[in-house]
Amino acid sequence: MLLFFALGLLVHFVFFASIFDIYFTSPLVHGMTPQFTPLPPPAKRLVLFVADGLRADALYELDEDGNSRAPFIRNVIMHEGSWGISHTRVPTESRPGHVALIAGFYEDVSAVAKGWKENPVEFDSLFNESKYTWSWGSPDILPMFAKGASGDHVYTYSYDAQIEDFGAHDATKLDTWVFDKVKDFFDAARNNQSLFSKVNEEKIVFFLHLLGIDTNGHAHRPSSREYKDNIKKVDDGVKEIVSIFKHFYGDDGKTAFIFTSDHGMTDWGSHGAGHPSETLTPLVTWGAGIKFPEKVSAQQSDDEFLKEWKLENWKRRDVNQADIAPLMASLIGVPIPLNSVGTLPVDYLNNTRLFKAENMLTNAVQILEQFKVKMTQKKEVTLPFLFTPFKLLSDSQQLDTLRKARSYIKQEKFDEVVSLCEELIDLALKGLSYYHTYDRLFLGISVAVGFVGWTSYASLLILKSHSNLTRSARKEVKKPHHLLPCSFVAIGVLVVCFLLIQVCPWTYYVYCLLPVPIWYAVLREYQVIQDLVASLLTFPPRHFVTYLLVFVLGIEVLVLSFFYRYMLTAGLIVFAGWPFLTRLWTRAKITCLSWALFSLLLAVFPLMPVVGRKPDLSLVMGAGLLVLLLSLAIVTTLSKRKITLVKEELLVLLLQMLSTVLSMYVVYSTHHSLLKKEGLPLMNQIVSWATLASSLIVPLLSSTTLFQRLSSILLSLMSTYLLLSTGYEALFPLVLSCLMFVWIHMEQETLQQPGVSCKQKFTSMQFTYNTDIAQLRLLNLDDIRRAFFLVFFLVTAFFGTGNIASINSFDLASVYCFLTVFSPFMMGALMMWKILIPFVLVMCAFEAVQITTQLSSKGLFLIVLVISDIMALHFFFLVKDSGSWLDIGTSISHYVIVMSMTIFLVFLNGLAQLLTTKKLQLCGKPKIHLL
């Protein structure tokens, strides 16, 4: 059985990784040649300002007094340049946003594993194509473009990562540092002949990365005064830098300016998903080669922002974020980055129609080159009779279109050239996507076949080893046993040969060969399949259909809860009424009423707003007080039951109460310290990490009786959870744990004979590794309900605290008691532990349920895995690669969450066993009687 779980873990890792191989492979190809435009560019130099985390509405809207927060940028929009909205894509994080801006392509999500710092793949960029690039800003962003550049012409100037502190006195200093360094740079250039000659070259870029707005948004929310004041600081800084450039270059009219953002931010201070507040970023351009403002009487738009921003009379020109890269390249006359998929927004250019046509043609040829390389690569590794080319863009069509474009240029039909090139770019991009996803259906079917096979095998194993399924007399049938392995070996050899001929990556072998042994294992259990069919034929059809419908309905409710959190509320309301439809109500009225009460209390949480939107310190303090009251209630309960405690166990209870008090103090003092912008106090940080470290050790000092050990686990984990809470979610583990305690009693009641009391037995039950196998029973239909309850409670443990299936629902303020300096992996780990704490509480309760119901943990756990796998298969087929970016990102998040939950179940089961059964002994243990 241990081997089965190890193999199961491996299989689920493969299924989990498959989604990234199928949907998130790198879109980059290599082997293209740079494309030049033969005409002289309008600008010698480009200045790129990227205000990290700046929302479009925050920049463009007017304040309460009708004034702009960025008067200089507003003046540019009205009198000097062009403006619009840059539409970003998921993931709305800093690295992919900057890659789209500067390299012109949309990076896949796998780059998050590199922390957005290192280059997972080699790519070309505007900086690489420039003669020189000077950049100032965050150490998280600048190095990746310098590292990816050929030669040593990209210069970076970064501040120390430690000053990226969300609890700092003034995060605007991040931007002030950049502006000051740029001023110092030009002062130095006047006195350094070598530097002076470089900055007077053509085709040079100056990049200013401004992180203050993003930092203030995370720390204080975009609606805060700090966020809005930072916009004003940036506006003042941009104005000053523009003045410096004009003064240094003698206002030669050869400088182009671009002001934009890498991503936006939600109202609760996070980003990463596809909400409009994250994907709508500002774009303001002015200077050499940029079209002047165009006043219009009316213009069409898909939104109502123009009227809100009082900009309805100034022409708005929206672009996709990757379109900015070819725009910048055309302004200074460098090749468009080789991997760019952006379309040149000619509406922004103030130049001749010939210039626009030539640059548009260069853009089309550059993207067409990628299409040709991608098609050639796929054609070389695919059998000729299986290769299906992209029919909308054949070789002859490519030649005809390019020939026609050249002909139009000679005939001075420049508008026709632009239209023709836009059509060619659109087709080439569709073709790129076609070849990039060429194997998606093939891989998807392979993974789905393996998924179904694994779920079938796990189900058969349950029936074979853990059920009382009626088995027919078995006869030795040798012939199938010889044919079966030979057939599957032959299938495996054929699959390997097919993949070898097509020169497929090694991961293809994993996805295609994995179903072979799985289905072999399934068909080896043909006797169990026969027994199952025979048993089903004797089962009353009406009962079978009823059970099947209830099971399917339960699975669908779980699936729907990922889309609509209120489905969990509906499910918990049904749970509340369940005992009253059974005999439990007649035997254990108080237990049934407690179950209904806590089910209804827990049902409130999925209806609450997402965590982080409305932080409330008083609720965290209230939860802490309830934990202290619960601690006293536990001592009182043990006293009434005359439980004998050793000295160390009483010490553990006191230590946990002290830890709770300290957690409350740390939360309160940290909150007020950050409000005063005094940063995170060192002592608070030490206490927080010490509490976290001790939370998994202290419970091991308590008694292994069910009640005492579960109470100890709750009290220890609650101290850490309080430190990670910002509002109502602090109450969630308390209500969940109360329901878990009642659930343990309920499940034991379901197995009791009428008139037999089980209370005394429950208080004396112990968690132990060595369970008497003779006492264990086989599975029955009611155990499917128990397994479903567990899965439902696990899903509730995730969504019930306000999380949604998106990384933008996690509030960085949750980790401020532990650290405030930006550290993506550490912060991510802390938020992950916050999510897992309710999971651990549920799994520990599940361990107790298995003991009280005298059930094999392996059998019940297998049912849980089967239910989880059926859910995962649902989401595998629901993954989208078209539609809005919000829908695409959410569909992938759903699959990742449910697969992560399935994988974590194995680890959580082990952790729960460790927490419930392990006992640490301290020297000396005098007993204290609580009378």
Side-chain angles (χ1 to χ4, degrees):
M1 184 58 72
L2 187 61
L3 178 63
F4 171 80
F5 278 111
L7 289 173
L9 199 59
L10 178 63
V11 168
H12 283 87
F13 270 120
V14 171
F15 292 155
F16 178 80
S18 69
I19 200 71
F20 296 99
D21 217 17
I22 295 172
Y23 290 93
F24 285 146
T25 51
S26 174
L28 300 189
V29 290
H30 300 284
M32 296 80 67
T33 54
Q35 301 298 315
F36 293 89
T37 301
L39 301 176
K44 288 184 177 180
R45 66 201 71 90
L46 173 83
V47 184
L48 173 62
F49 301 95
V50 177
D52 204 305
L54 177 60
R55 291 163 48 147
D57 58 346
L59 179 73
Y60 293 141
E61 69 186 4
L62 303 178
D63 62 20
E64 299 79 7
D65 300 323
N67 300 318
S68 173
R69 297 190 188 97
F72 176 75
I73 296 294
R74 185 89 176 186
N75 182 69
V76 166
I77 292 172
M78 293 180 171
H79 301 103
E80 295 185 45
S82 297
W83 76 285
I85 288 178
S86 169
H87 296 264
T88 72
R89 292 190 182 182
V90 290
T92 46
E93 296 287 348
S94 290
R95 179 193 164 103
H98 281 88
V99 169
L101 286 169
I102 299 165
F105 72 91
Y106 300 105
E107 197 167 33
D108 62 278
V109 176
S110 63
V112 74
K114 299 286 185 179
W116 308 127
K117 293 181 181 180
E118 298 297 327
N119 293 345
V121 288
E122 187 180 333
F123 61 85
D124 190 22
S125 72
L126 178 80
F127 297 171
N128 188 45
E129 297 292 352
S130 68
K131 184 75 176 284
Y132 295 108
T133 292
W134 290 272
S135 55
W136 297 266
S138 168
D140 298 326
I141 297 299
L142 303 189
M144 66 179 175
F145 294 106
K147 186 175 181 179
S150 58
D152 57 354
H153 63 283
V154 178
Y155 305 99
T156 61
Y157 305 92
S158 302
Y159 39 73
D160 191 278
Q162 292 299 312
I163 72 172
E164 296 180 21
D165 190 343
F166 297 127
H169 176 67
D170 186 9
T172 58
K173 65 185 178 184
L174 299 173
D175 300 335
T176 305
W177 184 95
V178 172
F179 295 133
D180 289 344
K181 291 299 179 182
V182 174
K183 286 184 279 186
D184 293 343
F185 173 82
F186 280 102
D187 288 339
R190 290 187 177 91
N191 303 314
N192 184 322
Q193 187 58 42
S194 173
L195 181 58
F196 185 82
S197 62
K198 285 182 179 179
V199 297
N200 278 284
E201 293 274 5
E202 296 181 350
K203 307 181 191 305
I204 60 175
V205 178
F206 299 91
F207 171 43
L208 284 71
H209 176 241
L210 308 168
L211 187 62
I213 293 174
D214 183 74
T215 305
N216 269 318
H218 285 308
H220 305 289
R221 311 287 192 274
S223 59
S224 66
R225 180 180 56 81
E226 289 83 359
Y227 184 88
K228 294 172 182 176
D229 286 349
N230 204 150
I231 296 174
K232 179 67 170 68
K233 284 279 184 70
V234 166
D235 183 70
D236 292 339
V238 170
K239 180 180 179 180
E240 188 175 7
I241 296 300
V242 170
S243 176
I244 288 172
F245 269 86
K246 288 182 177 180
H247 180 68
F248 186 88
Y249 291 105
D251 201 6
D252 62 355
K254 291 294 182 179
T255 308
F257 297 94
I258 306 279
F259 181 89
T260 187
S261 175
D262 54 347
H263 57 76
M265 187 171 287
T266 62
D267 292 340
W268 54 98
S270 64
H271 53 81
H275 192 273
S277 62
E278 300 164 273
T279 59
L280 302 183
T281 58
L283 173 62
V284 182
T285 64
W286 69 100
I290 296 295
K291 186 175 287 187
F292 288 101
E294 182 181 343
K295 295 203 74 173
V296 293
S297 56
Q299 55 182 318
Q300 290 184 341
S301 176
D302 295 332
D303 50 55
E304 300 297 324
F305 292 136
L306 287 171
K307 290 182 179 179
E308 293 177 19
W309 299 337
K310 308 296 183 187
L311 290 171
E312 61 267 31
N313 297 126
W314 281 266
K315 179 70 174 177
R316 168 178 153 184
R317 299 175 172 93
D318 285 11
V319 300
N320 291 319
Q321 195 172 45
D323 299 341
I324 298 174
L327 172 63
M328 294 190 293
S330 68
L331 288 171
I332 57 174
V334 299
I336 297 172
L338 294 175
N339 302 113
S340 171
V341 294
T343 303
L344 176 65
V346 290
D347 281 351
Y348 274 84
L349 296 177
N350 179 24
N351 214 310
T352 63
R353 294 165 66 218
L354 173 62
F355 181 86
K356 294 178 183 179
E358 284 286 0
N359 275 275
M360 200 70 199
L361 180 58
T362 301
N363 190 189
V365 172
Q366 171 260 327
I367 292 178
L368 192 60
E369 281 284 310
Q370 295 182 71
F371 169 78
K372 289 178 179 178
V373 171
K374 195 79 172 179
M375 181 182 69
T376 303
Q377 289 178 351
K378 186 52 63 180
K379 196 171 184 179
E380 287 175 350
V381 297
T382 305
L383 294 172
F385 64 90
L386 290 177
F387 181 71
T388 307
F390 183 64
K391 296 177 182 178
L392 296 178
L393 192 58
S394 63
D395 292 343
S396 60
Q397 284 175 295
Q398 297 172 35
L399 292 172
D400 289 343
T401 304
L402 293 176
R403 194 180 297 115
K404 190 181 293 185
R406 285 295 175 194
S407 174
Y408 283 158
I409 288 176
K410 290 178 181 178
Q411 298 171 33
E412 297 187 356
K413 296 180 179 179
F414 302 122
D415 292 339
E416 285 83 349
V417 175
V418 171
S419 298
L420 193 65
C421 289
E422 286 176 342
E423 291 175 11
L424 181 58
I425 288 173
D426 184 56
L427 286 174
L429 290 175
K430 287 179 179 176
L432 267 174
S433 177
Y434 172 79
Y435 287 118
H436 183 58
T437 60
Y438 192 84
D439 296 327
R440 185 170 291 179
L441 179 63
F442 168 66
L443 292 175
I445 291 173
S446 299
V447 172
V449 169
F451 231 130
V452 173
W454 171 259
T455 306
S456 302
Y457 179 64
S459 302
L460 291 174
L461 195 64
I462 294 169
L463 295 171
K464 179 182 178 181
S465 305
H466 301 282
S467 75
N468 55 359
L469 183 70
T470 304
R471 304 180 184 186
S472 58
R474 298 188 176 182
K475 298 179 181 179
E476 291 294 328
V477 185
K478 295 182 179 181
K479 191 174 180 181
H481 286 287
H482 289 292
L483 286 176
L484 200 62
C486 292
S487 301
F488 278 91
V489 168
I491 292 170
V493 170
L494 288 173
V495 170
V496 170
C497 291
F498 175 75
L499 296 175
L500 279 172
I501 292 170
Q502 300 213 116
V503 198
C504 293
W506 67 270
T507 51
Y508 283 40
Y509 290 84
V510 176
Y511 303 140
C512 296
L513 288 175
L514 187 63
V516 177
I518 289 177
W519 278 101
Y520 170 67
V522 170
L523 295 181
R524 274 188 62 190
E525 305 295 340
Y526 64 92
Q527 188 64 59
V528 180
I529 298 172
Q530 287 180 358
D531 293 341
L532 174 62
V533 172
S535 179
L536 290 177
L537 291 174
T538 61
F539 204 75
R542 190 176 67 177
H543 289 179
F544 173 74
V545 172
T546 302
Y547 287 135
L548 183 63
L549 286 175
V550 170
F551 181 77
V552 170
L553 180 64
I555 295 291
E556 293 306 315
V557 167
L558 288 172
V559 171
L560 285 172
S561 67
F562 279 68
F563 298 92
Y564 313 104
R565 289 169 57 221
Y566 59 77
M567 293 301 296
L568 294 173
T569 299
L572 287 166
I573 291 172
V574 173
F575 280 14
W578 161 65
F580 303 102
L581 302 176
T582 65
R583 295 179 181 177
L584 288 171
W585 172 243
T586 60
R587 296 205 304 264
K589 287 184 171 58
I590 295 177
T591 304
C592 290
L593 289 173
S594 300
W595 168 267
L597 172 64
F598 288 115
S599 294
L600 293 175
L601 282 176
L602 196 65
V604 174
F605 286 92
L607 300 176
M608 301 290 280
V610 173
V611 165
R613 295 190 183 186
K614 292 181 180 178
D616 192 338
L617 192 65
S618 62
L619 290 175
V620 181
M621 295 294 103
L625 290 174
L626 287 175
V627 172
L628 292 175
L629 290 174
L630 182 63
S631 304
L632 295 173
I634 290 169
V635 174
T636 304
T637 302
L638 294 175
S639 174
K640 286 183 177 179
R641 293 180 179 178
K642 298 184 178 181
I643 303 295
T644 301
L645 291 180
V646 296
K647 184 178 180 180
E648 67 182 47
E649 291 171 358
L650 185 61
L651 190 63
V652 166
L653 272 172
L654 294 174
L655 181 63
Q656 289 171 330
M657 294 175 72
L658 176 62
S659 179
T660 302
V661 173
L662 283 174
S663 295
M664 293 170 65
Y665 169 76
V666 167
V667 170
Y668 182 83
S669 63
T670 300
H671 177 75
H672 286 279
S673 178
L674 294 179
L675 280 181
K676 296 175 184 176
K677 297 184 180 179
E678 295 175 353
L680 172 61
L682 178 61
M683 186 54 66
N684 288 11
Q685 194 172 18
I686 293 171
V687 170
S688 297
W689 284 106
T691 302
L692 174 63
S694 65
S695 62
L696 294 177
I697 298 173
V698 173
L700 305 183
L701 299 171
S702 64
S703 168
T704 55
T705 57
L706 263 61
F707 180 75
Q708 288 175 252
R709 178 54 65 93
L710 289 176
S711 301
S712 183
I713 292 169
L714 170 62
L715 295 178
S716 286
L717 293 180
M718 272 305 300
S719 296
T720 302
Y721 201 84
L722 289 173
L723 293 170
L724 292 166
S725 297
T726 59
Y728 72 84
E729 81 272 18
L731 297 166
F732 179 79
L734 284 173
V735 179
L736 178 66
S737 297
C738 290
L739 183 60
M740 292 300 98
F741 274 107
V742 181
W743 183 34
I744 297 166
H745 282 280
M746 289 285 289
E747 293 298 353
Q748 192 180 31
E749 290 285 358
T750 59
L751 295 178
Q752 294 302 310
Q753 298 296 325
V756 179
S757 174
C758 62
K759 292 182 180 178
Q760 186 60 40
K761 186 179 178 182
F762 179 77
T763 57
S764 62
M765 280 186 176
Q766 297 270 342
F767 284 112
T768 176
Y769 274 127
N770 302 317
T771 306
D772 186 0
I773 298 176
Q775 292 182 356
L776 298 180
R777 59 180 179 80
L778 295 174
L779 296 172
N780 55 42
L781 282 175
D782 204 32
D783 293 318
I784 297 177
R785 174 193 56 76
R786 293 186 178 93
F788 176 79
F789 273 22
L790 173 64
V791 177
F792 190 94
F793 288 137
L794 289 172
V795 174
T796 305
F798 181 80
F799 291 105
T801 54
N803 300 313
I804 55 176
S806 163
I807 62 176
N808 72 6
S809 66
F810 304 117
D811 184 9
L812 288 180
S814 299
V815 304
Y816 287 170
C817 289
F818 294 87
L819 74 164
T820 53
V821 176
F822 182 64
S823 175
F825 287 127
M826 186 61 71
M827 289 177 164
L830 286 168
M831 287 189 282
M832 182 62 70
W833 180 235
K834 178 184 178 181
I835 293 169
L836 289 179
I837 285 175
F839 280 62
V840 172
L841 294 173
V842 173
M843 289 303 295
C844 289
F846 184 57
E847 286 291 313
V849 167
Q850 293 174 56
I851 292 173
T852 57
T853 55
Q854 299 175 344
L855 192 58
S856 165
S857 61
K858 296 181 180 68
L860 201 53
F861 193 68
L862 277 173
I863 299 176
V864 170
L865 286 180
V866 168
I867 294 173
S868 300
D869 284 341
I870 293 172
M871 289 172 60
L873 194 58
H874 267 74
F875 289 117
F876 182 81
F877 288 116
L878 288 174
V879 169
K880 295 180 180 179
D881 62 345
S882 60
S884 74
W885 282 103
L886 180 60
D887 292 339
I888 294 170
T890 301
S891 69
I892 294 167
S893 296
H894 287 159
Y895 180 76
V896 169
I897 288 169
V898 75
M899 281 305 299
S900 299
M901 189 176 75
T902 305
I903 293 170
F904 273 126
L905 272 177
V906 180
F907 292 108
L908 288 173
N909 189 49
L911 178 60
Q913 283 193 354
L914 177 68
L915 284 174
T916 53
T917 58
K918 186 68 176 175
K919 180 76 166 73
L920 294 180
Q921 296 286 351
L922 297 179
C923 56
K925 44 180 183 178
K927 295 184 178 180
I928 297 176
H929 294 272
L930 297 177
L931 298 176

